């Protein structure tokens, strides 16, 4: 060990006597300081503009870690090119061999010098951490230190590769170029031979690309730790073999066998370390953001036995690229958190082509017959068409017509239960933890069932007309549809008693009154403690009031209006009340994001508390400028005018209420909403300038409360607490000068001092 230390000390002295080490250190410090101070400035600017930044720790260091990984390519070859090649070209390698030291000690000593230099590089980040402890509120130090560890291990891995390349040639420039080429290869090796399952896993494991991202994201996994031990170890072993061959003059064949043997050992260890059953994890983030939430973990625990997720990828669908062989490992990473708690999960892929309504690429080769179009797409994307099943062949495996032949996953338990996990037509597209856990829950627990009343002109849960409710009820491609959030949905009529499995009954904007017999059946549902979601508007007041009056609530006369310059006067906005925030965390989210419930043609609700229910106002309009318009009916051509003499009252209006009363060991819950259009198909996706709509939170908040929290699955994490930067404009300027200029200049002065002192000697 003493000999290894002496070699490392000598190597570091030679390194810092040359301008290369100083140049790398100065440029690295300047670039890092520029990124870090730039992020400090951005956060301070957000605060000054009145925004509330969150997760400042990750904001400051996330971009820094990402960019550093990109330009390490350029630094390491310069540092390692002379480690051994300098001794080979100068003849000093013979002196080393004649001294009492082994090839292993030589290699380890030189690598130790690079490990120490790597500590100097990441030491710059440690200065940033110390600084942030004083200027960032509740700085998340363990998460950031984990990211720094990942960058350090990556630098050491690069250095081991550079050291090996330095043993190959006595020319330093060749060693530098060779290092750069090999680093490039190892960053893109995960794209080679991806059609072969075993090779795909091995090359994906060997790839350097993104290897430190788990660390920089706050997750330490045994797979990554083993990688950062085995890969540097492999190249150090290669270096020892190469250096030994220069002394022993071993045959090329024998050396090749040694190299292959070392590689196979590392490949086998790497393959085994990537097996889910053998992996361990440590989540260092404060919010445990890289770990499933407790509710999801409880659901996974109930999934006893094997579980297979089969992905059906249609070549003619928008998302087909996600599942092609070269991207399979990236696709599997979407379920990594679930595999962590259930290693038995298997991922399978089935490829096919069939007709599909491709909304984003509707005109792409659409004039070609289906098979020819599929072949052309496969050719353009360099995909083997032979692996894709024809429409007839896929129908023999599974009928995906109910899923519109879209990209979809089928989750199958060993015991036979099945459910679909879908992509969604939004920016995110992939299912999040909430949707995945809801799909898993569907197979192991009884889900709350929502019944939609029919037969009286209600909003239809199956139709996609503007006024109907298919989107929020059962749209398979809408993330926040009840069907995708852990509810069962079905139509209900009052020709017979409401089924006992129905937990929540939706009565939406009836166009005619209930008959006496129907009212009796509905009353039986109410008497048994069934929950209700009732929506109406001014046009259905006469049919809805006889029902809502049972609970002490009444739709008021008139249409709520608030004249504005840009919108029709019957467009009003409502905000969640303090009671709503306690009712459901979805309303809390809606309030924190300053979203409003946007309502066009709403009725105010008045209520009494003499029916045995506790009444909680959920949504309320502004106090000023809103009244119940009783005279105007044409809001497009006519001008509304406030007329108190006609009975119009300007006041705060309640547009949604929640009611609760004890029923045995549980509560009966009812939500009444004064606008049927605000959750309709057209309104859920409608955007307006200057208005941030949060109408879908009405659905999530109401049904989460009505289902007693059974659905949607609560996947909340602790809120961010590193939300304030204790710096103003002057402090930002000092930060910029300190990290972007002062430290690099100080290093430059140190380099000049060392050079002058060496020249003097």
């Amino acid at each position: 060990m003493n000999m290894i230390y002496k070699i490392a000390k000598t190597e570091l002295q030679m390194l810092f006597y040359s301008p290369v080490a100083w140049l790398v250190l100065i440029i690295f410090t300047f670039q890092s300081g520029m990124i870090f101070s730039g992020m400090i400035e951005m956060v301070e600017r957000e605060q000054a503009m009145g925004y509330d930044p969150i997760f400042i720790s990750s904001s400051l260091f996330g971009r820094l870690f990402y960019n550093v990984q990109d330009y390490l390519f350029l630094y390491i070859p310069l540092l390692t090119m002379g480690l051994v090649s300098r001794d080979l070209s100068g003849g000093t390698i013979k002196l080393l061999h004649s001294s009492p030291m082994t090839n292993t000690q030589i290699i380890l000593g030189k690598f130790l010098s690079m490990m120490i230099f790597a500590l100097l590089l990441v030491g710059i980040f440690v200065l940033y951490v110390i600084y942030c402890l004083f200027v960032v509120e509740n700085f998340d130090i363990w998460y950031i230190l984990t990211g720094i560890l990942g960058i350090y291990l990556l630098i050491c891995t690069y250095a081991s590769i550079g050291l090996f390349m330095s043993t190959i040639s006595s020319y330093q420039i060749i060693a530098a170029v060779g290092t750069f080429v090999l680093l490039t290869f190892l960053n893109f090796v995960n794209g080679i031979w991806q059609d072969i399952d075993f090779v795909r896993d091995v090359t994906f494991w060997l790839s350097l690309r993104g290897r430190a991202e788990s660390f920089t994201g706050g997750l330490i996994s045994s797979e990554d730790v083993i990688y950062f031990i085995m890969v540097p170890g492999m190249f150090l072993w290669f270096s020892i073999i190469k250096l030994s061959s220069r002394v022993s003059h071993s045959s090329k064949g024998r050396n090749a066998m040694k190299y292959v043997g070392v590689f196979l050992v590392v490949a086998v260890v790497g393959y085994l370390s990537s097996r889910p059953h053998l992996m361990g994890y440590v989540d260092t983030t404060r919010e445990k953001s890289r770990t499933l939430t407790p509710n999801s973990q409880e659901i996974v625990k109930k999934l006893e036995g094997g579980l297979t997720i089969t992905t059906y990828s249609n070549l003619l669908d928008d998302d087909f690229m996600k599942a092609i062989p070269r991207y399979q490992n990236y696709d599997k990473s979407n379920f990594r958190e679930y595999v962590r708690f259930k290693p038995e999960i298997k991922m399978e892929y089935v490829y096919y082509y069939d007709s599909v309504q491709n909304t984003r690429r509707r005109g792409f080769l659409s004039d070609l017959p289906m098979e020819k179009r599929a072949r052309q797409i496969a050719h353009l994307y360099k995909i083997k068409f032979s692996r894709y099943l024809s429409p007839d062949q896929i129908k023999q495996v599974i009928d995906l017509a109910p899923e519109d032949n879209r990209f979809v996953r089928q989750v199958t338990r060993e015991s036979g239960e099945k459910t679909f996990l879908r992509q969604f037509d939004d920016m995110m597209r992939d299912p999040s933890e909430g949707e995945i856990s809801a799909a898993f829950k569907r197979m192991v627990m009884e889900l709350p069932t929502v019944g939609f009343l029919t037969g009286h002109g209600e909003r239809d849960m199956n139709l996609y007309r503007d006024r109907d409710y298919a989107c929020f009820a059962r749209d398979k491609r809408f993330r926040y549809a009840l069907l995708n959030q852990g509810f069962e949905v079905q139509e209900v009529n009052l020709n017979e008693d409401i089924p006992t499995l129905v937990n929540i009954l939706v009565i939406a904007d009836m166009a005619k009154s209930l008959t006496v017999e129907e009212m009796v059946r509905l009353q039986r549902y109410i008497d048994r403690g069934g929950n209700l979601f009732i929506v109406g508007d001014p046009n259905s007041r006469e049919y809805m009031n006889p029902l809502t009056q049972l609970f002490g609530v009444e739709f008021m006369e008139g249409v709520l209006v608030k004249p504005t310059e840009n919108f029709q006067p019957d467009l009003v906005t409502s905000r969640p009340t303090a009671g709503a925030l306690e009712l459901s965390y979805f309303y809390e989210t809606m309030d924190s994001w300053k979203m409003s419930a946007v309502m066009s043609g709403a009725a105010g609700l008045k209520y009494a508390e003499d029916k045995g229910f506790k009444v909680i106002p959920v949504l309320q309009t502004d106090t000023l400028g809103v009244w119940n318009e009783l005279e105007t009916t044409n809001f497009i051509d006519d001008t509304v005018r406030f007329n108190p003499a006609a009975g119009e009252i300007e006041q705060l209006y309640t547009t949604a209420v929640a009611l609760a009363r004890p029923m045995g060991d549980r509560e009966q819950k009812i939500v009444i909403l004064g606008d049927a259009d605000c959750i309709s198909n057209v309104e859920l996706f409608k955007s307006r300038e200057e208005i941030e709509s949060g109408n879908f939170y009405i659905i999530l908040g109401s049904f989460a409360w009505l289902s007693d929290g059974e659905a949607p699955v609560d996947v909340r994490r602790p809120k961010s607490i590193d939300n304030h930067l204790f710096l103003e404009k002057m402090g930002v300027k000092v930060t910029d000068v300190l990290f972007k200029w002062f430290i690099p200049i100080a290093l430059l002065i140190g380099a000049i001092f060392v050079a002058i002192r060496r020249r003097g000697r």
Side-chain angles (χ1 to χ4, degrees):
M1 188 65 191
N2 187 47
M3 192 64 67
I4 293 174
Y5 170 74
K6 287 181 179 180
I7 294 173
K9 182 179 178 181
T10 302
E11 200 63 44
L12 283 171
Q13 288 175 340
M14 296 181 65
L15 193 63
F16 279 100
Y17 282 151
S18 71
V20 173
W22 289 104
L23 181 65
V24 168
L25 196 56
I26 291 168
I27 294 177
F28 182 86
T29 303
F30 175 77
Q31 288 184 320
S32 300
M34 183 170 60
I35 296 170
F36 179 72
S37 60
M39 296 306 298
I40 288 280
E41 181 181 3
M42 185 190 74
V43 173
E44 189 278 331
R45 188 186 303 119
E46 287 182 354
Q47 286 188 171
M49 293 173 66
Y51 294 104
D52 298 321
I54 59 175
F55 298 109
I56 292 180
S57 304
S58 59
S59 297
L60 295 179
F61 283 85
R63 183 183 170 196
L64 179 64
F65 290 152
Y66 180 81
N67 285 10
V68 161
Q69 294 179 69
D70 283 344
Y71 54 69
L72 282 175
F73 264 97
L74 307 175
Y75 300 150
I76 302 305
L78 297 176
L79 293 170
T80 60
M81 64 183 182
L83 285 176
V84 178
S85 59
R86 180 175 55 246
D87 295 320
L88 294 176
S89 62
T92 53
I93 192 67
K94 295 180 180 179
L95 295 176
L96 291 174
H97 283 149
S98 63
S99 62
M101 64 179 67
T102 64
N103 291 315
T104 300
Q105 290 174 327
I106 294 172
I107 294 300
L108 293 180
K110 291 179 179 293
F111 182 65
L112 178 60
S113 69
M114 287 294 96
M115 292 178 68
I116 296 172
F117 188 84
L119 283 175
L120 293 176
L121 292 178
V122 298
I124 304 299
F125 298 158
V126 176
L127 292 178
Y128 300 161
V129 170
I130 296 172
Y131 182 73
C132 286
L133 287 173
F134 294 96
V135 302
V136 177
E137 178 186 37
N138 300 311
F139 183 69
D140 194 353
I141 185 171
W142 293 112
Y143 161 41
I144 301 304
L145 289 179
T146 301
I148 293 174
L149 173 62
I151 298 297
Y152 175 73
L153 293 174
L154 185 64
I155 295 173
C156 292
T157 303
Y158 282 0
S160 68
I161 296 169
L163 175 58
F164 169 64
M165 296 307 297
S166 183
T167 64
I168 291 178
S169 174
S170 60
Y171 296 98
Q172 294 188 31
I173 187 64
I174 294 178
V177 173
T179 301
F180 181 79
V181 170
L182 187 53
L183 288 176
T184 303
F185 171 77
L186 287 175
N187 270 276
F188 294 97
V189 69
N190 58 344
I192 299 176
W193 300 318
Q194 295 301 290
D195 290 339
I196 306 172
D197 291 341
F198 176 79
V199 174
R200 179 171 58 246
D201 289 337
V202 171
T203 56
F204 190 83
W205 186 85
L206 279 174
S207 175
L208 284 168
R209 176 174 290 276
R211 180 54 66 174
E213 287 182 0
S214 289
F215 283 89
T216 58
L219 183 69
I220 301 174
S221 72
S222 60
E223 178 188 12
D224 292 328
V225 171
I226 291 173
Y227 177 90
F228 283 121
I229 294 173
M230 296 302 297
V231 172
M234 178 179 71
F235 282 101
L236 293 179
W237 207 340
F238 285 173
S239 301
I240 295 169
I241 294 172
K242 181 61 180 177
L243 205 57
S244 299
S245 68
R246 291 181 176 276
V247 178
S248 62
H249 302 291
S250 302
S251 65
K252 293 182 179 180
R254 186 174 181 181
N255 287 334
M257 290 179 62
K258 291 180 180 179
Y259 288 131
V260 171
V262 171
F263 175 79
L264 289 178
V265 169
V266 172
V268 170
V269 172
Y271 181 80
L272 293 176
S273 70
S274 65
R275 299 306 90 192
H277 289 85
L278 303 177
M279 293 172 66
Y281 302 86
V282 177
D283 187 346
T284 63
T285 60
R286 181 188 288 130
E287 299 80 15
K288 302 303 176 188
S289 58
R290 302 300 300 273
T291 304
L292 289 180
T293 56
N295 285 335
S296 294
Q297 292 182 39
E298 286 299 316
I299 292 171
V300 172
K301 285 180 183 178
K302 297 179 185 298
L303 288 168
E304 298 177 355
L307 187 74
T308 302
I309 302 176
T310 305
T311 300
Y312 294 95
S313 178
N314 186 348
L315 185 58
L316 302 181
D317 189 32
D318 295 330
D319 296 301
F320 79 94
M321 285 289 288
K322 291 178 60 64
I324 62 176
R326 75 182 77 127
Y327 297 134
Q328 270 188 26
N329 283 314
Y330 294 106
D331 183 62
K332 290 177 181 179
S333 66
N334 292 325
F335 298 89
R336 185 173 183 177
E337 293 177 1
Y338 286 89
V339 173
R340 171 180 171 182
F341 291 95
K342 187 171 180 58
E344 301 87 0
I345 292 179
K346 296 180 181 179
M347 300 276 300
E348 297 180 354
Y349 293 84
V350 176
Y351 302 99
Y352 74 102
Y353 66 93
D354 204 345
S355 59
V356 64
Q357 184 180 3
N358 193 318
T359 55
R360 289 193 298 171
R361 296 187 298 125
R362 186 172 294 166
F364 184 63
L365 302 177
S366 58
D367 56 326
L368 297 178
M370 184 168 56
E371 181 178 348
K372 193 171 183 180
R373 182 186 181 197
R375 288 183 179 275
Q376 185 66 19
I377 292 174
H379 174 73
L380 290 172
Y381 287 94
K382 298 180 180 179
I383 301 171
K384 288 184 178 180
F385 184 73
S386 58
R387 71 168 62 244
Y388 283 83
L389 303 178
S390 68
D392 292 335
Q393 291 172 324
I394 188 63
K395 283 181 174 59
Q396 295 176 8
V397 178
I398 185 174
D399 182 13
L400 293 174
E403 296 294 322
D404 299 323
N405 292 326
R406 300 285 298 272
F407 182 105
V408 72
R409 307 180 200 271
Q410 187 177 58
V411 185
T412 307
R413 290 186 69 191
E414 189 176 25
S415 54
E417 295 89 347
K418 297 180 180 181
T419 190
F420 283 109
L421 186 58
R422 306 171 179 92
Q423 299 292 106
F424 302 109
D425 290 335
D426 53 28
M427 292 181 63
M428 187 173 156
R429 299 200 68 79
D430 291 324
S432 67
E433 181 183 338
E435 290 78 55
I436 297 173
S437 294
F440 287 171
K441 187 175 182 178
R442 188 178 295 276
M443 295 188 293
V444 294
M445 302 180 190
E446 183 177 340
L447 299 179
T449 300
V450 180
F452 283 76
L453 186 63
T454 63
H456 313 88
E458 297 91 346
R459 306 294 176 106
D460 199 307
M461 62 165 278
N462 294 308
L463 298 181
Y464 286 88
R465 298 177 303 187
D466 287 355
R467 69 185 303 274
D468 288 314
Y469 285 176
C471 287
F472 104 70
R474 54 172 297 276
D475 187 348
K476 295 174 181 177
R477 296 294 160 170
F478 179 44
R479 184 180 303 275
Y480 301 110
L482 297 178
L483 183 67
N484 295 318
Q485 291 297 322
F487 293 91
E488 299 285 4
V489 294
Q490 67 176 59
E491 289 186 329
V492 171
N493 62 62
L494 291 175
N495 296 330
E496 55 187 8
D497 284 342
I498 297 172
T500 55
L501 59 83
V502 173
N503 312 99
I504 304 167
L505 181 64
V506 177
I507 304 177
D509 200 31
M510 293 189 300
K512 63 180 181 179
S513 301
L514 298 174
T515 65
V516 175
E517 293 79 6
E518 290 175 330
M519 196 64 202
V520 169
R521 295 188 183 101
L522 178 60
Q523 189 64 55
R524 279 201 284 266
Y525 173 80
I526 296 170
D527 292 342
R528 83 182 194 210
N531 295 338
L532 291 144
F533 182 75
I534 303 171
V535 295
D537 60 27
N539 295 324
S540 59
R541 180 186 302 108
E542 63 175 299
Y543 309 114
M544 302 300 298
N545 272 344
L547 172 61
T548 59
Q549 286 169 354
L550 296 174
F551 315 112
V553 180
E554 186 177 341
F555 290 83
M556 298 176 63
E557 292 186 6
V559 178
L560 297 184
V561 296
K562 183 176 183 179
T564 58
E565 181 180 353
N566 296 321
F567 305 107
Q568 286 184 194
D570 64 336
L571 184 77
V572 297
T573 58
S574 301
R575 299 274 296 155
T577 65
L581 305 189
E582 297 179 2
L583 208 68
S584 171
Y585 63 88
F586 286 111
Y587 286 117
E588 187 178 350
T589 304
M590 181 180 177
D591 183 66
S592 64
W593 285 99
K594 296 179 172 58
M595 291 180 170
S596 300
V598 183
M599 300 180 171
S600 178
L605 300 176
K606 59 181 180 181
Y607 52 87
E609 300 189 31
D610 58 355
K611 300 293 184 179
F613 287 90
K614 176 185 177 183
V615 183
I616 306 168
V618 176
L619 297 172
Q620 291 180 331
T621 64
D622 296 333
T623 305
L624 300 176
V626 179
W627 70 85
N628 58 325
E629 177 61 38
L630 297 171
E631 298 178 315
T632 305
T633 57
N634 183 351
F635 296 105
I636 298 176
D637 300 317
D638 293 346
T639 302
V640 298
R641 292 179 177 85
F642 177 50
N643 183 8
E648 297 173 353
I649 304 172
E650 183 180 3
Q651 64 177 24
L652 178 150
Y653 283 90
T654 298
T655 55
V657 296
L659 304 96
R661 67 177 177 182
M663 293 287 287
D665 58 351
R666 55 178 293 273
E667 277 190 324
Q668 182 178 33
K669 298 177 179 180
I670 300 168
V671 173
I672 301 176
L673 184 62
D675 179 30
D677 288 326
C678 70
I679 55 175
S680 64
N681 295 332
V682 67
E683 190 61 50
L684 283 176
F685 300 99
K686 194 168 187 176
S687 61
R688 295 177 177 88
E689 191 71 24
E690 302 177 359
I691 299 179
E692 192 69 30
S693 173
N695 287 16
F696 61 89
Y697 281 119
I698 301 173
I699 301 167
L700 298 177
S702 297
F703 283 89
W705 183 66
L706 291 168
S707 68
D708 299 321
E710 286 296 313
V713 179
D714 186 354
V715 293
R716 286 177 296 165
R717 303 179 188 278
K719 293 182 179 179
S720 165
I721 60 174
D722 51 340
N723 302 333
H724 186 71
L725 183 68
F726 302 119
L727 287 177
E728 296 182 353
K729 195 169 184 180
M730 181 55 67
V732 170
K733 290 182 178 179
V734 172
T735 304
D736 186 72
V737 172
L738 175 63
F739 292 113
K740 192 164 70 175
W741 300 109
F742 180 80
I743 296 179
I745 290 174
L747 291 172
L748 178 61
I749 293 172
I752 295 172
F753 174 77
V754 170
I756 293 173
R757 187 178 179 187
R758 185 185 179 199
R759 182 175 296 179
R761 289 183 176 179

